[in-house]
């Protein structure tokens, strides 16, 4: 029966043939509609296969009060036949489906197997049947619904296609029944067809907007009292049908259709644009669609539906980003239909936060952008509601970390997943949104200590929360006002009372997914353990804070914080005299015990604050580069103002005794030298001189009151240059600074500080020292014996300076040093065993210089110490291994300094290093291989007789050595050998090159250590370059003149 009804529909909608060229499209369509309808009626009466379909059609016709047999409008007659057949099909399928559902189960003998497909319900249509039904629905909508919509309601047919304009001209509105009744009849039939689920998909997938437009017009269009086409009851039923329809259909599609019905702006865009295609909707329809959209928005998951309706199908281009911003503005604006703004934001804000948590890669980025922009718009336009319904729930887990109590949370206060989601939301809104405002900064500042504590915790191990914490902290420090940022830095560094930090009874702990959670602390803890945890935690917080400040490369905040602390230090120095005077006036005998205790506690608190300030300054100077602390000229000037003010404070107070000390004088001289360097710049602007104007008062005080004449003279010169804006300038201001410094040091040479060589360039204990120190003058004319005694001094700086002076004397071949060569060697060997790195590195440098100057006598002694341990009688046996490694370092430096003498002097070293590869200690084996590589790089062709022995040693170590460190060194020797020989490789290593290549390939394939494999790959690359140059030498274009005989 279903196929018969669909056959009748096919007869009605199937085109009969080509239209003649003389007829217009309108006439051809008119004739086709009349012919198809006549053919259908004829077939229903004459064709026996359609008798049941004709019977069901007659039944539907009898029940249809809207059907008219006689009408002058051919198009409406055609639509009536389509509607009758659709109703016939719907009733038949409904009855068949009901019988199918009520049918008893099959008997036990006919049970189907599990792998067999279930029987299809009778309302399932084939693809061809769906196509036929779709054509009928299209005829119904095009001829019986869209032509009767008021102008501005829905998209007109004429703007959908060129054929739509032909259809509009075909309609006869004056014929009976009136347009309103026709529209009502068509809409009701379509809704009846849509009651069957299988047919509803065909109706609403293509014609939902048209049905919604018809229901809106039938139920809500205003009319005059005498011109109403429908009764009040019919209007009410249309409204209910519209409400039911909007509640059943997928909400993003509903919202999209409502936006289309709402139309474009009142002034449409240019012809052909998308805005012009929408047209301008009537005022009543715009109000209705606005109300319906507001209802969709405020219902559960309404925000998500609105976002999906506007953004679905986007490509991620610029237009999609503009759509995201437009949706965000819509969400941030309270609609007029809302009863109250408070209720609207209370419903919408939680849904906006939910948009931040989508994990779908296709939609997460757009949803997060919409949520971020909506949140920022709310914060800007409605800060009160945003703070209450948006920021407070978002930051709730972090605030719970502050106010958590053991009674409410005996074990876990904040779960890992909750804290992770909170920090990700903060990162998305604050950092990614990047729209700083007072509300956002204030809200974030309240929980900033918690985020910083969590950041310090994540720095102790691997955690995915480290990056969002760090970026959030840097965003706040970079966008907040300087005063607020400095206040926060003081609180985070411990210089101010810690507020809004993690509750004392709780601590962060690592989570199972790489995050962190807040749990209750252990109750039973030792006092010493608690004190150690507190002190180490404070030190770790300072280091983490410095790492944050180091990330602010282009910011003045680190320098401002540094200068702020220096200014506070200066104010403490100024208040020191008053505190001492107050302490002298205090009569302890006249005070009660409580007053005495309060005074002592107050003094202890002040001392603790000073110590904390000094600790922060020390960590800043140690961890941050000076270019970051003092980036601008104004910051350097502020630093100098603070330095000079402290010097001036000490001139007339209780601390005046410390003004003439070497440290104070040298610090002051270096500071004024910095000012002289600034003034020696080629071009200084007026702003620079104006900034330096603040240096004039302290420089004047130093000129008049400082006890050092050189500093007085330098301060006077600097003051004159600044006051005259450079018009007066000494011949060489930098030389004046150097001379004043040397004079100041000359007066203090009897002090312990005077024992240091005050040269302009100090050779580094770790470097070669080079020729830079050969021309340095000695600090005084001490005899060699004094330097030998100071080389045994227990004071580390004194001993290190003496060793460096002895090294320079050996390098210059000083006569006294040459005569005392044995004593100097013994001193260097003794200090080689010293624990302090500054001392033993100076000794290593001295031994390397001795080996370079006197290789014949020194190298044998060093080789014995490297092979058999220290030879000195008082040497400690437990430090023998460390001393051997230090001797190996000396030999390596000596190998580098041999140059062309390496073939002559390197043979004993080569034998010793080859023997060292069989030492029981793995560190000695690795050191021997490292030294072997350095030496082989410089042997060139003289390496030829030893290539077999060297290759056998390295190949055996690579394949049999258990320690990865030694295998790395062996492979590294091959790499250094190839790198040092270069193009000579094929000549020097011709006999063993294949063995070395196979050994390297074996390492790449079989060695489990990744570093060893990396070294082997680098060596193979070196070998590859060598062989390419050997096989394909560089072509040189040369001209040759040959004289023929």
């Amino acid at each position: 029966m279903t196929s018969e009804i669909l056959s009748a529909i096919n007869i009605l909608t199937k085109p009969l043939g080509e239209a003649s060229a003389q007829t217009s499209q309108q006439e051809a369509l008119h004739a086709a509609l009349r012919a198809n309808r006549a053919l259908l009626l004829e077939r229903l009466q004459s064709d026996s296969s359609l008798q049941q379909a004709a019977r069901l059609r007659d039944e539907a016709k009898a029940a249809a009060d809207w059907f008219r047999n006689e009408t002058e409008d051919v198009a409406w007659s055609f639509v009536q036949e389509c509607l009758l057949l659709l109703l016939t099909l719907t009733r038949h399928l409904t009855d068949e489906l009901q019988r199918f559902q009520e049918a008893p189960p099959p008997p036990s003998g006919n049970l189907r197997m599990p792998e067999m497909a279930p029987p299809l319900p009778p309302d399932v249509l084939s693809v061809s049947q769906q196509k036929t039904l779709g054509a009928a629905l299209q005829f119904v909508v095009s001829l019986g619904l869209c032509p009767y919509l008021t102008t501005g309601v829905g998209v007109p047919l004429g703007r959908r296609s060129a054929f739509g304009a032909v259809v509009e001209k075909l309609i006869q509105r004056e014929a009976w029944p009136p347009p309103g009744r026709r529209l009502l009849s068509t809409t009701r039939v379509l809704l009846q067809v849509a009651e069957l689920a299988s047919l509803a998909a065909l109706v609403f997938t293509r014609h939902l907007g048209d049905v919604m437009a018809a229901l809106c017009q039938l139920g809500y269009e205003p009319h005059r009292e005498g011109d109403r086409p429908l009764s009040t009851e019919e209007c009410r039923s249309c409204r209910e049908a519209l409400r039911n329809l909007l509640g059943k259909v997928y909400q993003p599609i509903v919202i999209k259709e409502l936006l289309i019905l709402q139309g474009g702006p009142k002034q449409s865009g240019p012809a052909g644009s998308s805005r012009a295609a929408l047209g301008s909707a009537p005022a009543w329809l715009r109000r209705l669609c606005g109300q319906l959209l507001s209802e969709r928005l405020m219902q559960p998951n309404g925000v998500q539906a609105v976002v999906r309706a506007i953004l679905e199908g986007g490509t991620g281009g610029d237009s999609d980003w503009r759509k995201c911003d437009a949706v965000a503005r819509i969400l941030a604006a309270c609609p007029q239909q809302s009863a109250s703004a408070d209720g609207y934001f209370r419903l919408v804000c939680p849904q906006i936060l939910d948009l931040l948590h989508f994990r779908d890669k296709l939609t997460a980025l757009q949803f997060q952008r919409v949520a971020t922009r909506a949140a920022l718009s709310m914060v800007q336009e409605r800060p009160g509601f945003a703070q209450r319904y948006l920021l407070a729930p978002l930051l709730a887990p972090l605030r719970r970390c502050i106010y958590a109590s053991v009674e409410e949370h005996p074990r876990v206060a904040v779960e890992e997943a909750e804290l992770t989601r909170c920090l990700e939301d903060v990162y998305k809104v604050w950092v990614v949104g990047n729209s700083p405002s007072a509300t956002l900064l204030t809200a974030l500042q309240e929980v900033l200590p918690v985020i910083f504590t969590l950041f310090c915790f994540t720095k102790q191990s691997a955690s995915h929360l480290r990056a969002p914490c760090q970026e959030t902290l840097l965003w706040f420090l970079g966008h907040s006002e300087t005063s607020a940022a400095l206040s926060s830095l003081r609180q985070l560094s411990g210089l101010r009372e810690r507020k809004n930090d993690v509750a004392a009874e709780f601590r962060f702990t690592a989570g199972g997914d790489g995050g962190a959670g807040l749990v209750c602390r252990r109750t039973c803890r030792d006092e010493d353990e608690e004190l150690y945890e507190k002190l180490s935690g404070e030190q770790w917080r300072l280091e983490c804070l410095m790492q944050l400040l180091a990330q602010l490369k282009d910011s003045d905040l680190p320098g401002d914080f540094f200068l702020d602390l220096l200014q506070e230090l200066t104010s403490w120095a100024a208040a020191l005299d008053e505190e001492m005077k107050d302490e002298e006036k205090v009569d302890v005998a006249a005070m009660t015990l409580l007053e005495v205790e309060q005074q002592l506690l107050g003094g202890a608190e002040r001392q603790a604050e000073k110590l904390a300030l000094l600790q922060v300054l020390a960590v800043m100077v140690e961890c941050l580069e000076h270019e970051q602390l003092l980036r601008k000229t104004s910051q350097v000037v502020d630093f100098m103002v603070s330095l000079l003010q402290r010097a001036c404070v000490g001139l007339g107070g209780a601390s005046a005794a410390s003004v003439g000390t070497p440290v104070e004088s040298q610090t002051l001289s270096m500071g004024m030298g910095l000012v002289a360097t600034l003034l020696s710049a080629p071009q200084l602007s007026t702003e620079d001189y104006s900034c330096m104007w603040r240096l004039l008062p302290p420089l004047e005080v130093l000129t008049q009151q400082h006890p050092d004449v050189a500093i007085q003279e330098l301060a006077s010169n600097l003051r004159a240059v600044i006051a005259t804006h450079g018009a007066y300038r000494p011949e060489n201001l930098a030389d004046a600074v150097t001379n004043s410094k040397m004079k100041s040091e000359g007066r203090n040479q009897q002090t312990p500080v005077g024992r240091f060589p005050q040269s302009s360039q100090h050779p580094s204990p770790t470097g070669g020292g080079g020729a830079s120190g050969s021309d340095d003058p000695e600090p005084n004319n001490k005899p060699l014996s004094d330097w030998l005694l100071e080389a045994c001094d227990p004071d580390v700086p004194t001993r290190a300076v003496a060793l460096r002076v002895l090294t320079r004397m050996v390098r210059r071949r000083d006569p006294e040093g040459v005569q005392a060569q044995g004593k100097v060697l013994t001193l260097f060997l003794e200090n080689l065993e010293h624990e302090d790195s500054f001392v033993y590195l100076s000794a290593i440098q001295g031994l390397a210089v001795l080996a370079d100057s006197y290789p014949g006598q020194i190298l044998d002694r060093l080789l014995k110490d490297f092979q058999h341990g220290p030879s000195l009688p008082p040497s400690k046996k437990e430090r023998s291994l460390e001393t051997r490694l230090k001797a190996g370092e000396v030999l390596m430096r000596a190998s580098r300094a041999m140059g062309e003498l390496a073939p002559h002097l390197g043979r004993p070293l080569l034998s010793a290093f080859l023997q060292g590869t069989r030492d029981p200690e793995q560190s000695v084996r690795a050191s021997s291989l490292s030294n072997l590589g350095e030496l082989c790089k410089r042997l060139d062709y003289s390496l030829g007789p030893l290539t077999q022995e060297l290759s056998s040693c390295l190949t055996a170590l690579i394949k049999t050595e258990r320690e990865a460190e030694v295998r790395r060194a062996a492979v590294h020797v091959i790499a250094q050998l190839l790198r040092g020989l270069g193009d000579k490789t094929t000549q020097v290593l011709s006999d063993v090159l294949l063995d070395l290549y196979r050994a390297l390939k074996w390492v790449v394939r079989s060695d489990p250590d990744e570093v060893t494999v990396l070294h082997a790959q680098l060596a193979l690359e070196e070998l590859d370059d060598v062989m390419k140059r050997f096989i394909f030498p560089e072509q040189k274009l040369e001209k040759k003149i040959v004289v023929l005989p």
Side-chain angles (χ1 to χ4, degrees):
M1 180 60 69
T2 303
S3 60
E4 295 178 7
I5 299 175
L6 289 171
S7 298
I9 295 176
N10 188 30
I11 295 172
L12 185 63
T13 58
K14 184 177 180 181
L16 293 179
E18 295 290 338
S20 61
Q22 290 79 13
T23 59
S24 63
Q25 289 185 348
Q26 182 178 350
E27 294 174 352
L29 179 60
H30 190 275
L33 295 178
R34 181 186 294 108
N36 281 19
R37 178 174 179 272
L39 179 61
L40 173 65
L41 296 178
E42 179 185 353
R43 293 284 299 274
L44 288 176
Q45 294 178 0
S46 60
D47 195 344
S48 59
S49 61
L50 299 178
Q51 290 181 357
Q52 295 184 6
R55 179 179 55 83
L56 294 178
R57 173 187 172 277
D58 293 338
E59 293 177 359
K61 178 180 177 182
D65 56 352
W66 45 266
F67 187 82
R68 296 291 183 271
N69 287 321
E70 300 298 335
T71 177
E72 299 177 358
D73 192 351
V74 176
W76 179 244
S77 300
F78 183 84
V79 170
Q80 288 187 126
E81 295 297 336
C82 289
L83 295 178
L84 283 178
L85 292 177
L86 290 176
L87 282 177
T88 302
L89 179 64
T90 303
R91 292 181 178 181
H92 170 69
L93 292 178
T94 304
D95 296 338
E96 291 293 328
L97 184 61
Q98 183 177 1
R99 284 193 294 268
F100 175 80
Q101 295 173 351
E102 295 177 354
S108 58
N110 297 331
L111 289 177
R112 296 177 177 272
M113 300 301 293
E115 62 271 12
M116 297 179 65
L120 287 176
D123 63 338
V124 176
L125 303 179
S126 66
V127 175
S128 60
Q129 291 174 342
Q130 291 182 13
K131 184 177 180 181
T132 301
L133 187 59
L137 291 173
Q138 188 171 1
F139 272 112
V140 169
V141 173
S142 301
L143 298 175
L145 190 148
C146 292
Y148 307 113
L149 294 176
T150 307
T151 303
V153 179
V155 180
L157 286 175
R159 294 186 179 179
R160 301 186 189 184
S161 64
F163 182 73
V166 178
V167 174
E168 288 181 341
K169 297 178 181 179
L170 188 65
I171 304 301
Q172 298 180 10
R173 296 177 176 271
E174 297 80 8
W176 184 263
R181 306 303 302 181
R182 297 183 184 185
L183 182 62
L184 178 62
S185 302
T186 304
T187 306
R188 283 182 171 178
V189 172
L190 289 176
L191 292 178
Q192 291 179 20
V193 172
E195 291 178 359
L196 194 62
S198 59
L199 301 183
L202 296 175
V203 175
F204 293 145
T205 51
R206 291 189 177 183
H207 310 293
L208 176 63
D210 296 323
V211 175
M212 289 173 55
L215 291 174
C216 290
Q217 178 175 325
L218 293 172
Y220 294 93
E221 184 182 14
H223 294 278
R224 295 179 181 178
E225 190 64 29
D227 296 338
R228 292 182 178 273
L230 305 180
S231 63
T232 304
E233 184 63 24
E234 290 174 336
C235 292
R236 187 186 60 80
S237 63
C238 290
R239 294 173 184 175
E240 292 180 359
L242 178 62
R243 296 286 179 179
N244 295 333
L245 178 62
L246 297 182
K248 293 178 181 179
V249 182
Y250 182 54
Q251 291 302 298
I253 298 179
V254 171
I255 294 172
K256 188 180 298 184
E257 296 296 339
L258 286 175
L259 290 174
I260 295 175
L261 283 177
Q262 199 173 23
K266 294 182 179 180
Q267 294 181 353
S268 300
S273 65
S274 58
R275 290 177 177 267
L278 289 178
S280 179
W284 64 267
L285 182 58
R286 297 176 66 88
R287 290 193 299 269
L288 174 62
C289 292
Q291 181 180 356
L292 295 176
L293 286 171
S294 300
E295 293 176 358
R296 306 276 81 72
L297 176 62
M298 297 179 65
Q299 66 184 2
N301 297 325
V303 172
Q304 183 185 149
V306 171
V307 176
R308 287 187 181 276
I310 299 177
L311 299 182
E312 274 186 347
T315 59
D318 294 339
S319 61
D320 289 342
W321 295 121
R322 287 194 291 268
K323 288 180 181 179
C324 292
D325 295 340
V327 176
R329 290 193 297 269
I330 292 173
L331 297 178
C334 178
Q336 298 178 355
Q337 292 79 7
S338 177
S340 66
D342 184 89
Y344 171 76
F345 287 106
R346 185 171 61 251
L347 291 173
V348 169
C349 287
Q351 299 185 47
I352 293 177
L353 294 178
D354 291 338
L355 295 179
L356 295 170
H357 308 145
F358 272 82
R359 298 299 180 185
D360 184 13
K361 294 182 180 179
L362 298 177
T363 58
L365 188 61
Q366 293 180 333
F367 279 25
Q368 290 171 12
R369 180 176 178 86
V370 169
T372 301
R373 297 306 305 170
L376 296 176
S377 299
M378 287 184 183
V379 168
Q380 184 176 3
E381 299 173 7
R382 299 293 185 95
F385 292 122
Q387 176 67 32
R388 188 184 314 167
Y389 298 120
L390 194 68
L391 300 182
L394 191 150
L395 300 174
L398 294 175
R399 290 178 176 172
R400 199 184 315 147
C401 296
I402 303 173
Y403 304 109
S405 61
V406 181
E407 293 78 11
E408 296 180 359
H409 309 284
R411 297 185 62 184
V412 181
V414 182
E415 296 287 348
E416 177 190 4
E418 187 179 6
L419 189 59
T420 299
R421 187 174 65 177
C422 174
L423 287 170
E424 290 177 351
D425 292 348
V426 170
Y427 175 78
K428 294 169 186 175
V429 174
W430 272 265
V431 181
V432 178
N434 195 23
S435 180
S437 62
T439 304
L440 285 177
L441 292 171
T442 303
L444 185 60
Q445 189 175 12
E446 294 178 2
V447 297
L448 199 70
V450 178
I451 299 177
F452 178 70
T453 303
L454 180 58
F455 171 72
C456 297
F457 172 77
T458 57
K459 291 287 289 183
Q460 299 175 355
S461 61
S463 175
H464 60 81
L465 296 181
R466 183 189 308 170
C469 289
Q470 176 176 330
E471 294 299 327
T472 304
L473 292 168
L474 292 177
W475 184 89
F476 176 82
L477 295 176
H479 290 85
S480 57
E481 296 291 338
T482 303
S483 58
L486 293 178
S487 176
S488 299
L489 287 176
R490 281 181 169 273
Q491 183 178 0
L492 298 180
S493 61
L495 297 179
R496 187 170 295 174
E497 182 183 359
R498 293 171 61 177
K499 296 180 180 180
N500 295 337
D501 208 338
V502 179
E505 298 84 2
F506 292 85
R507 64 180 180 88
F508 287 112
T509 183
D513 296 331
L518 190 70
V519 299
C520 186
R521 291 181 180 271
R522 293 178 300 167
T523 55
C524 298
R525 290 194 301 172
D526 187 17
E527 293 183 359
D528 295 338
E529 179 184 356
E530 188 174 355
L531 179 61
Y532 172 77
E533 182 179 349
K534 178 182 178 182
L535 295 178
S536 61
E538 291 177 353
Q539 181 67 23
W540 178 246
R541 287 173 66 91
L542 278 179
E543 294 178 4
C544 294
L545 183 61
M546 295 307 112
Q547 293 178 13
L548 277 178
L549 293 178
Q551 298 295 324
L552 299 172
K553 300 293 185 181
D554 301 326
S555 175
D556 299 333
L557 184 61
D560 294 339
F561 184 50
F562 180 66
L563 295 173
D564 186 53
L565 298 181
L566 288 179
Q567 189 64 34
E568 184 176 354
L569 188 63
T570 303
S571 63
W572 280 354
L576 179 62
D577 297 337
E578 298 181 2
E579 293 181 2
M580 296 180 64
K581 293 178 182 178
D582 294 339
E583 291 179 359
E584 293 176 358
K585 295 180 181 179
V586 172
D587 186 6
V588 181
M591 299 172 61
T592 63
L593 292 177
L594 182 60
E595 293 175 347
V596 173
E597 182 181 5
Q598 291 177 350
Q599 184 177 5
L600 293 177
L601 289 177
E605 290 178 358
R606 289 191 295 272
Q607 292 297 328
E609 293 176 357
K610 294 178 181 179
L611 290 176
L613 176 62
L614 293 175
Q615 183 186 15
V616 175
L617 283 172
V619 174
M620 287 193 71
V621 173
E622 180 181 358
C623 298
L624 300 180
E625 298 179 358
H626 66 278
E627 293 91 349
Q628 192 172 11
L629 289 178
L630 303 175
R631 293 181 65 245
K632 300 188 302 185
T633 303
S634 60
Q635 291 181 330
V636 178
V637 172
D638 291 338
F639 171 71
M640 286 310 306
V641 169
S642 177
L643 178 63
L644 297 179
Q645 285 178 351
R646 285 200 303 276
C648 295
V649 167
L651 289 176
S655 58
S658 63
V659 172
T661 62
V663 175
E664 293 290 339
S665 298
Q666 291 179 12
T667 303
L668 191 58
S669 298
M670 291 176 62
M672 289 193 291
L674 180 60
V675 178
T677 303
L678 288 177
L679 293 174
S680 301
Q683 292 182 354
L684 285 177
S685 62
T686 306
E687 291 77 7
D688 294 334
Y689 281 111
S690 301
C691 182
M692 295 181 188
W693 198 264
R694 291 176 295 164
L695 295 172
L696 294 180
L699 286 175
E700 183 178 4
V701 175
L702 293 176
T703 303
Q704 298 174 358
Q705 301 182 14
H706 201 278
D708 194 332
V709 179
I711 292 180
Q712 290 183 3
E713 180 182 356
L714 180 57
S716 176
N717 290 336
L718 294 176
R719 183 171 177 272
V721 173
I722 296 173
T724 60
H725 282 204
Y728 167 78
R729 185 183 298 272
E731 295 182 359
N732 195 335
L733 198 59
D735 290 345
V737 177
T738 305
N739 293 334
S740 67
K741 182 178 178 181
M742 294 178 62
K743 291 177 183 179
S744 176
E745 293 169 356
R747 285 188 296 274
N748 299 315
Q749 64 180 359
Q750 302 302 324
T751 64
V753 179
R755 294 197 296 238
F756 289 87
Q758 304 295 334
S759 58
S760 59
Q761 296 180 356
H762 300 296
S764 170
T766 60
S772 61
S774 60
D775 299 332
D776 290 344
E778 295 296 332
N780 46 42
N781 296 323
K782 287 186 180 180
L784 178 65
S785 57
D786 290 351
W787 291 116
L788 293 176
L789 289 176
E790 290 189 1
C792 302
D793 196 290
D795 184 50
V796 171
T798 302
R799 176 180 292 201
V801 170
L803 291 175
R804 290 164 58 190
V805 172
L806 291 174
T807 301
R808 288 202 299 273
M809 294 177 68
V810 172
R811 183 184 292 110
R812 292 198 302 261
R813 297 184 181 273
D814 188 271
E816 293 183 359
V818 173
Q819 294 179 2
Q821 174 186 337
K823 295 181 181 180
V824 173
L825 175 61
T826 303
L827 274 175
F828 282 152
L829 291 174
E830 289 179 353
N831 285 283
L832 201 63
E833 302 182 16
H834 200 277
E835 297 179 356
D836 193 274
S837 61
F838 196 42
V839 174
Y840 72 70
L841 287 175
S842 300
I844 288 175
Q845 181 183 357
L847 288 171
V849 173
L850 270 176
D852 184 32
S853 302
Y854 313 102
Q857 299 88 347
I858 305 300
L859 288 179
D860 293 339
R861 180 69 174 274
L862 292 175
L863 283 174
K864 291 179 182 179
D865 288 356
F866 177 69
Q867 290 179 307
H868 309 293
S871 57
L872 295 178
S875 299
K876 299 179 181 179
K877 298 299 181 182
E878 61 272 11
R879 300 184 60 84
S880 175
L881 175 61
E882 184 178 349
T883 305
R884 292 177 66 188
L885 296 178
K886 294 175 182 176
E889 173 71 17
V890 177
L891 291 174
M892 184 183 68
R893 297 191 181 196
S895 302
R896 292 175 179 172
M898 285 181 183
E900 297 180 355
L901 294 177
H904 173 67
L905 300 175
R907 288 304 180 91
L909 297 179
L910 192 62
S911 301
F913 294 153
L914 287 174
Q915 294 176 9
T917 59
R918 300 195 302 269
D919 195 272
E921 294 289 343
Q922 68 171 29
S923 300
V924 177
R925 297 200 299 273
S927 177
S928 300
L929 288 169
S930 178
N931 295 340
L932 190 64
E934 288 289 340
L935 184 60
C936 289
K937 286 171 59 176
R938 291 162 175 81
L939 289 180
D940 289 343
Y941 291 103
S942 61
L943 188 64
L946 301 174
T947 54
Q948 290 289 351
E949 183 178 359
L950 182 63
S951 173
S952 301
C953 175
L954 295 177
T955 305
L957 286 174
I958 287 173
K959 295 184 178 180
T960 61
E961 178 61 48
R962 295 182 179 180
E963 299 296 335
E965 182 181 0
V966 181
R967 296 199 306 275
R968 296 174 190 173
V971 176
H972 188 58
V973 170
I974 299 177
Q976 285 185 306
L977 186 61
L978 297 173
R979 192 176 297 115
L981 292 175
D983 294 337
K984 306 173 187 176
T985 301
T986 54
Q987 302 176 26
V988 178
L989 303 179
S990 58
D991 298 334
V992 299
L993 195 58
L994 181 58
D995 297 335
L996 295 178
Y997 171 75
R998 289 173 176 172
L1000 293 175
K1001 295 295 287 185
W1002 184 88
V1003 170
V1004 172
R1005 290 193 305 265
S1006 307
D1007 198 289
D1009 183 57
E1010 295 181 357
V1011 180
T1012 307
V1013 173
L1014 177 61
H1015 283 307
Q1017 291 173 346
L1018 295 176
L1020 287 173
E1021 291 179 3
E1022 292 288 342
L1023 183 58
D1024 183 62
D1025 295 338
V1026 170
M1027 298 310 299
K1028 284 181 178 179
R1029 291 194 299 269
F1030 176 74
I1031 299 174
F1032 308 104
E1034 183 181 359
Q1035 299 294 329
K1036 296 182 179 179
L1037 300 177
E1038 298 178 352
K1039 292 183 178 180
K1040 292 184 179 181
I1041 300 176
V1042 180
V1043 180
L1044 297 176

